[in-house]
């Protein structure tokens, strides 16, 4: 799927900050024309989101986390051994247990983007603790 | 207005190149494995895992290096037979995860190794409302990761212990286009043969080569006189094979020792080669090797 800005005849780019799925797996993806700045949002429901997930790739581009061995199994399997899910240690931010649970509910193929959105928001705000309240704020900010 | 082809990439996700690099990783890994063989059955409980383990033991005995992928994600059990389970320490580096080393040096990758505790179920979300599409997506991605991210190294044979039924065969065929073939396992019951016959038809339609049909628990061996007798009458798997135009590659007797580890931690075949059951396993293995040799000539 590609998006074209008709007035500019330019390809629109995925906006990292736009990715913030709700817990029921509805998804908002934003696209921006870098020429005129016009933005659109693509809204999908759970089933459409799952359709996108079929190919097992990460929207927004493969992250380092995504290229780890067994990255999907490690991040998605409910009672996986700890060694499998090391992606979390990427920064000094502390995630509360509730926040960790909530991020686990995000479909894996957009989870890293959702994480980045939250991390960027926390860093901008200068906080080191990521809790459910902060996640709500992020969701409000990206317009959900 | 620009067309699809005029636009480079796909808005930053590079889905195509991600898929290509997934594929490349998988084929690089599989290129080091000479032959891949899937073992299937229509029904569960017909002895697929027990036979897979003993076929592996027999291949090792003939000097081949062997790995087993436990593709029965929800009912992993072959690790148990080979002595590799949840207690296995995971060794992971950038290149992949090391397989467990089971009895006789057989390499194994199984969901059991990845779970926190032996009784942990395989669940892909804690969300009770997970749809079956979601679970099925997770399972096919998991199969790809288990195949592509395991440091199998150089192997002569990779045996794939499939889940019961034929649903996952589509995945395996996509992931391993060079699959040498499928071994179908049935027991002499009408129900089992009815289902295995569907699985054979499906594989034929999909163009998956069928190495042959094994009939497990076909006979019993009298412990006193070592004579074989029939367990069931009139359910002829040999007839089923000829109807379906596939090879009948052997009968394995009912033998409760087959799925037990021996006292020395080895597998049944290795210590009972000369028993009736041991010989039956060896003749199945010969048929598999012959099929693969004939195919490559
Ligand atoms: N040839 C055989 N003789 C006696 N018992 C067998 C034989 N093959 C399998 N079994 C037993 O049948 C049960 C199911 O076997 P298993 O290998 O787990 O089947 P599957 O993998 O098809 O579900 C096990 O308890 C196993 O010990
Ligand atoms: Mg089994
Ligand atoms: Zn524009």
């Amino acid at each position: 799927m590609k998006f074209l800005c008709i007035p500019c005849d330019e390809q629109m780019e995925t906006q990292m900050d736009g990715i913030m799925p709700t817990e029921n797996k509805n998804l908002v993806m934003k696209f921006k024309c870098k020429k005129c700045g016009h933005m659109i949002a693509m809204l999908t429901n759970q089933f459409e989101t799952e359709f996108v997930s079929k190919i097992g790739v990460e929207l927004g581009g493969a992250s380092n986390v995504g290229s780890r061995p067994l990255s999907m199994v490690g991040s998605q399997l409910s009672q996986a051994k700890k060694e499998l899910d090391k992606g979390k240690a990427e920064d000094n931010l502390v995630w509360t247990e509730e926040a960790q649970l909530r991020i686990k509910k995000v479909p894996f193929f957009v989870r890293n983007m959702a994480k980045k959105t939250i991390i960027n928001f926390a860093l901008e705000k200068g906080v080191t603790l990521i809790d459910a309240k902060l996640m709500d704020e992020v969701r409000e900010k990206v317009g959900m | 207005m620009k067309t699809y082809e005029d636009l480079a990439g796909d808005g930053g996700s590079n889905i195509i190149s991600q898929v290509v690099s997934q594929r490349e990783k998988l084929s690089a890994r599989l290129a080091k494995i000479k032959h891949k063989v899937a073992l299937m059955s229509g029904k569960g409980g017909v002895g697929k895992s027990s036979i897979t383990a003993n076929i592996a033991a027999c291949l090792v005995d003939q000097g081949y290096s062997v790995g087993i992928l436990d593709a029965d994600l929800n009912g992993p059990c072959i690790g148990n037979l080979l002595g590799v389970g949840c207690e296995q320490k995971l060794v992971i580096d950038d290149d992949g995860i090391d397989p467990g080393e089971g009895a006789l040096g057989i390499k194994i990758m199984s969901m059991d190794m990845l779970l926190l505790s032996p009784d942990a179920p395989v669940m892909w979300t804690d969300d009770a409302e997970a749809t079956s599409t979601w679970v099925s997506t997770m399972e096919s991605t998991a199969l790809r990761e288990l195949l592509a991210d395991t440091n199998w190294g150089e192997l002569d044979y990779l045996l794939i212990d499939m889940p019961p039924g034929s649903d996952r065969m589509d995945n395996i065929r996509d992931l391993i286009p060079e699959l040498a073939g499928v071994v179908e396992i049935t027991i002499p019951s009408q129900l089992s043969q009815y289902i295995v016959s569907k699985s054979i038809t499906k594989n034929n339609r999909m163009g998956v080569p069928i190495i042959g049909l094994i009939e497990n628990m076909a006979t019993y061996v009298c412990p006193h006189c070592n004579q074989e007798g029939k367990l069931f009458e009139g359910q002829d798997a040999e007839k089923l094979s000829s109807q379906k135009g596939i090879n009948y590659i052997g009968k394995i007797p009912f033998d409760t020792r087959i799925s037990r580890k021996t006292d020395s931690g080895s597998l049944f075949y290795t210590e009972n080669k000369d028993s009736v059951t041991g010989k039956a396993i060896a003749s199945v293995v010969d048929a598999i090797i012959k099929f693969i040799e004939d195919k490559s000539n």
Side-chain angles (χ1 to χ4, degrees), chain B residues 48-49 72 75 77 161-162:
Chain B
K48 187 165 33 62
S49 301
D72 193 353
C77 67
D161 186 9
M162 297 291 291

Side-chain angles (χ1 to χ4, degrees), chain B residues 124-169:
Chain B
W124 298 108
T125 168
D126 290 316
D127 181 356
E129 276 160 31
T131 63
S132 57
T133 329
W134 178 251
V135 173
S136 157
T137 302
M138 293 301 106
E139 287 181 352
S140 49
T141 309
L143 274 182
R144 176 179 49 76
E145 288 190 349
L146 292 179
L147 270 173
D149 293 345
T150 300
N151 292 322
W152 297 108
E154 309 256 344
L155 288 180
D156 294 313
Y157 284 89
L158 179 68
L159 306 180
I160 303 161
D161 186 9
M162 297 291 291
S166 51
D167 305 7
R168 286 282 150 222
M169 202 50 221

Side-chain angles (χ1 to χ4, degrees), chain A residues 1-4 6 9-14 23 25 29 46-47 50 53-62 67-74 76-84 101 107-109, chain B residues 1-2 4 7-13 15 18-19 22 25 86 88-90 92-94 96-97 111 113-116 120-126 131 133-134 136-138 141-142 144-146 149:
Chain A
M1 232 178 299
K2 299 173 183 178
F3 294 86
L4 184 76
I6 298 177
D9 209 24
E10 272 289 326
Q11 178 167 19
M12 302 186 85
E13 290 181 333
T14 318
E23 274 167 60
K25 297 192 187 130
M29 276 187 84
Q46 177 177 1
F47 297 98
E50 286 176 358
S53 77
K54 274 248 183 244
I55 35 186
V57 298
E58 282 180 38
L59 297 180
S67 55
R68 277 177 50 78
L70 300 183
S71 64
M72 188 288 289
V73 172
Q76 202 69 32
L77 186 64
S78 183
Q79 299 185 41
K81 285 187 183 158
K82 294 279 174 283
E83 303 97 287
L84 279 174
L101 266 177
F108 77 92
F109 65 100
Chain B
M1 199 167 100
K2 281 186 183 141
Y4 189 90
L7 303 186
D10 49 15
S13 297
I15 289 178
Q18 282 192 62
V19 172
Q22 277 176 1
K25 194 170 176 193
C86 176
Q88 181 80 17
K89 194 102 198 68
L90 299 187
I92 308 174
D93 61 25
D94 289 344
I97 175 167
M111 290 302 294
M113 289 169 55
L114 310 177
L115 289 163
L116 259 183
V122 175
M123 285 178 71
W124 298 108
T125 168
D126 290 316
T131 63
T133 329
W134 178 251
S136 157
T137 302
M138 293 301 106
T141 309
R144 176 179 49 76
E145 288 190 349
L146 292 179
D149 293 345

